[in-house]
Amino acid sequence: MAALFRTLKAASGGSLRCLVSAHRNQISKVERSFRVAAVLRLSDESKQEETPPHYSSSYHKHYQASAPEPETEFKNTSYAHQSGEQEEDYETEEQLQHKILTAALEFVPKYGWSVDAIAEGAKTLNLSGAAAGMFNNGAGDLILHFVMQCNSDLSDILSEKHKQIQLGQIEPLKTDKFLREAVETRLRMLIPYIDSWPQAMSILLLPHNVPESLKHLSTLIDDIWYYAGDRSTDLNWYTRRAALTGIYNTTELVMVQDSSPDFEETWKFLENRVNDVMNMAHTAKKVQSTGEAVVQGLMGAAVTLRNLAGMNQRR
Amino acid sequence: MGLPTNLPRIEQFVASRFFCICSHYYGRGSRQRQQVQHTSLRAYNVVPPARDSTEKAMMDRMLRVDHAGEYGANRIYAGQMAVLRRTSTAALIEHMWDQEKQHLKTFIELMAENRVRPTILMPFWNVAGFALGAGSALLGKEAAMACTVAIEETISEHYNSQIRELMEEDPERYKDLLELIKTFRDEEMEHHDIGLEQDAEMAPVFWLLKNTIQAGCKAAIFLSERF
């Protein structure tokens, strides 16, 4: 895989750039960039005599080398242009994917959540746009990456606050205020992409994306409740998470069609929903204590009747 | 609970059942919420932090089923006490119940520290455990002891298989957790022996009681591990 991406980088730096784009158009739905490299190799063999002499020998050496050896001549031409970028020879595929997707996010406002945005992101890393073919799920991968990134950012923010509270630097918040702040912080991360977010939401609803998006959602909600102080080990664990999931999803839906300045309506809606849930919990507690009092009253009445009837004496 | 203790036994039994159902759904959670920002009373975590998702899944499963088991055992002893409160075996059952309460407290702490999801069948174990305890006690003191013997035997076997699983994985890494489970297993065996001493085998259709209860217990363990 590492040799593959070096190939792609080499290709983009040389005269084969036009060949890459030509072949990319032909194989627009290529599943793996391996196929792209194979095609490049074929085209290179056919066009060997046409390439300028000072490139051909290096390409020959590059393609024929079975073990990935750093070609110093090549390194100077391609790496010299990348000022400040690190050596990527031994990067894992996951790290590279992460980098490409992060770079792709800045093109989302222009290209939407699509493979084009990923291709543009790959280009900023001096990779061929065909590198977008490495993502089987296309736009879904980009969105899930974004969601995962936001969730981990929120988790960092919450754990930082939690540490400060434990050190006594700031006061702990009441539960409803904490939930409101956490959900608002997380939803504010969507603001730069809010115009295209309905498209992202609909892509996340596709059947093959649903399991992973649900997993991210449940991790997010669990994190928020954990830092809000929930340590329950009974059915409350489930009811609380279900309630917060409902709050988060409905607030997200309100946010995408909110046009008020700085989304004031959305935060008001969030406040109302959180208050609703708190009221329900208080009402449930009141019902329980009323129930207890009623049962006590009935028991007392039963005992009185038994006493009156003389049935309570031990003979 | 705030119940007048001079009520006749049956009324108290009914009232406490009602309170237990209500408080378990709503009261306990909010009471636990008051303990918001406390760290554990112990200075260290018995369970080592998970290195990857498979280890986390294994730990979650083990803690979840142990917590559910101790919770169920608590409810069973509560049921037995509710029926046998005024008899001579009350003191013994109280002693065994106190030890189970300690076990449950430990597992609740471990669950909270390791952010483990509790089993969704908790309300069911609440009712089923109490019903089993009270039902067996209504059949007589020997039947209650037979129920204890059956449950404790299954739980000891279950702890033994967990000990074996942890030993196969990495005895050094799970040293503290293994100590804990071994202590609990020894106490459960002690309850089993007490039950036998108290003429459990004289219970009506002892073999039927024992086997049904053990089958139910094994099903509960299977379900709690997954759900």
Side-chain angles (χ1 to χ4, degrees):
Chain A
M1 256 306 172
L4 199 61
F5 295 123
R6 255 211 315 270
T7 310
L8 287 170
K9 251 185 280 191
S12 69
S15 60
L16 286 180
R17 197 193 291 270
C18 51
L19 273 170
V20 171
S21 45
H23 280 278
R24 185 165 44 118
N25 290 334
Q26 283 178 21
I27 322 175
S28 56
K29 288 198 178 47
V30 63
E31 290 273 281
R32 299 199 168 278
S33 35
F34 178 74
R35 241 186 270 168
V36 174
V39 168
L40 286 175
R41 206 173 299 197
L42 284 174
S43 62
D44 177 62
E45 280 165 8
S46 64
K47 300 228 179 206
Q48 264 171 21
E49 55 279 34
E50 291 177 15
T51 56
H54 63 97
Y55 273 118
S56 65
S57 52
S58 343
Y59 278 142
H60 260 296
K61 271 192 273 181
H62 197 82
Y63 285 137
Q64 285 162 14
S66 50
E69 297 154 9
E71 297 282 348
T72 47
E73 194 180 14
F74 242 30
K75 262 194 180 228
N76 289 337
T77 52
S78 56
Y79 281 94
H81 300 306
Q82 299 168 20
S83 51
E85 196 155 336
Q86 291 194 356
E87 301 279 73
E88 290 161 46
D89 280 338
Y90 302 107
E91 200 174 71
T92 66
E93 184 179 342
E94 257 187 52
Q95 282 176 333
L96 184 64
Q97 285 186 344
H98 185 93
K99 266 209 196 124
I100 295 179
L101 290 176
T102 314
L105 285 177
E106 66 177 280
F107 296 98
V108 164
K110 183 162 170 222
Y111 294 91
W113 299 94
S114 62
V115 190
D116 295 331
I118 306 179
E120 293 297 319
K123 282 196 201 145
T124 59
L125 295 176
N126 279 324
L127 294 174
S128 151
M134 123 171 80
F135 297 101
N136 294 345
N137 205 1
D141 274 337
L142 182 58
I143 304 172
L144 288 169
H145 170 262
F146 173 65
V147 165
M148 195 169 61
Q149 194 63 42
C150 289
N151 290 352
S152 80
D153 288 343
L154 180 72
S155 182
D156 291 337
I157 293 173
L158 290 179
S159 77
E160 188 53 45
K161 277 213 195 117
H162 185 69
K163 234 190 332 186
Q164 287 182 330
I165 290 175
Q166 292 209 307
L167 289 175
Q169 289 168 3
I170 53 180
E171 284 303 306
L173 290 171
K174 290 191 54 134
T175 312
D176 59 341
K177 194 136 198 307
F178 182 92
L179 294 179
R180 269 178 20 220
E181 271 195 23
V183 173
E184 182 176 334
T185 312
R186 173 62 178 81
L187 286 176
R188 279 191 183 273
M189 295 179 193
L190 298 179
I191 290 180
Y193 309 95
I194 197 72
D195 294 324
S196 52
W197 194 246
Q199 180 201 6
M201 283 168 74
S202 62
I203 292 177
L204 283 183
L205 282 175
L206 291 174
H208 56 269
N209 286 329
V210 162
E212 203 170 329
S213 89
L214 282 182
K215 194 165 58 96
H216 288 313
L217 180 63
S218 61
T219 326
L220 168 71
I221 302 292
D222 185 46
D223 273 344
I224 297 181
W225 265 122
Y226 176 75
Y227 288 113
D230 175 48
R231 300 283 183 275
S232 52
T233 52
D234 51 7
L235 199 66
N236 277 310
W237 192 96
Y238 291 91
T239 54
R240 285 180 186 165
R241 276 152 184 75
L244 187 59
T245 309
I247 293 175
Y248 179 81
N249 282 338
T250 49
T251 313
E252 194 183 6
L253 285 172
V254 165
M255 191 176 174
V256 293
Q257 43 82 41
D258 183 13
S259 50
S260 59
D262 194 36
F263 300 94
E264 284 162 2
E265 292 297 324
T266 308
W267 312 135
K268 267 207 218 84
F269 176 85
L270 173 62
E271 188 178 340
N272 289 337
R273 293 293 76 70
V274 169
N275 286 340
D276 283 346
V277 166
M278 292 292 141
N279 282 340
M280 261 201 304
H282 287 148
T283 313
K285 258 197 286 188
K286 280 214 195 93
V287 163
Q288 179 217 339
S289 56
T290 310
E292 274 179 26
V294 165
V295 169
Q296 281 225 7
L298 287 176
M299 289 302 122
V303 169
T304 313
L305 284 175
R306 280 177 69 137
N307 281 337
L308 288 175
M311 279 167 28
N312 227 10
Q313 298 163 24
R314 285 187 204 200
R315 274 182 262 260
Chain B
M1 276 273 194
L3 273 180
T5 47
N6 56 351
L7 286 179
R9 210 171 60 198
I10 299 301
E11 279 87 335
Q12 226 174 339
F13 172 77
V14 167
S16 64
R17 276 309 300 126
F18 186 79
F19 291 3
C20 279
I21 292 175
C22 290
S23 66
H24 267 294
Y25 281 124
Y26 302 113
R28 223 165 130 238
S30 58
R31 276 199 289 284
Q32 277 182 331
R33 217 197 307 165
Q34 307 304 322
Q35 310 163 19
V36 157
Q37 313 287 358
H38 292 186
T39 46
S40 161
L41 295 171
R42 288 192 309 276
Y44 61 96
N45 192 349
V46 167
V47 177
R51 283 171 299 201
D52 56 21
S53 60
T54 27
E55 188 184 346
K56 176 102 177 77
M58 177 188 86
M59 269 303 131
D60 274 11
R61 177 175 43 86
M62 290 175 68
L63 289 175
R64 182 179 317 130
V65 70
D66 287 346
H67 170 253
E70 291 301 341
Y71 181 72
N74 247 282
R75 300 303 299 146
I76 290 174
Y77 282 121
Q80 290 186 345
M81 270 306 277
V83 175
L84 296 174
R85 186 189 306 273
R86 303 285 171 85
T87 66
S88 50
T89 37
L92 199 54
I93 299 180
E94 181 90 41
H95 161 73
M96 294 198 285
W97 190 13
D98 284 338
Q99 284 184 316
E100 298 294 351
K101 284 181 188 159
Q102 271 307 110
H103 294 184
L104 181 62
K105 201 154 108 20
T106 312
F107 278 120
I108 287 178
E109 274 179 27
L110 288 180
M111 296 267 286
E113 274 167 16
N114 294 288
R115 295 177 62 167
V116 178
R117 169 182 72 85
T119 167
I120 197 169
L121 300 166
M122 290 294 278
F124 186 66
W125 301 147
N126 180 6
V127 174
F130 195 92
L132 176 62
S136 62
L138 285 172
L139 287 176
K141 165 213 163 201
E142 287 80 17
M145 289 297 142
C147 171
T148 304
V149 163
I151 297 281
E152 301 294 4
E153 194 175 306
T154 316
I155 289 192
S156 302
E157 263 175 49
H158 166 71
Y159 277 147
N160 277 332
S161 70
Q162 282 195 340
I163 290 171
R164 253 176 264 131
E165 192 180 344
L166 288 175
M167 296 282 262
E168 274 169 17
E169 279 288 323
D170 192 343
E172 263 315 296
R173 186 173 159 75
Y174 301 116
K175 196 158 55 91
D176 293 326
L177 183 58
L178 277 169
E179 275 307 307
L180 188 78
I181 300 185
K182 280 181 191 158
T183 314
F184 287 2
R185 185 225 27 212
D186 293 340
E187 287 176 3
E188 307 290 1
M189 283 310 295
E190 192 192 306
H191 296 177
H192 171 262
D193 297 336
I194 291 175
L196 283 178
E197 274 168 35
Q198 295 288 318
D199 303 327
E201 282 154 342
M202 309 269 284
V205 280
F206 171 70
W207 60 270
L208 179 65
L209 262 182
K210 180 160 179 278
N211 286 323
T212 343
I213 293 173
Q214 285 195 324
C217 206
K218 290 196 182 114
I221 289 176
F222 177 85
L223 289 173
S224 298
E225 273 183 345
R226 283 148 191 80
F227 301 107

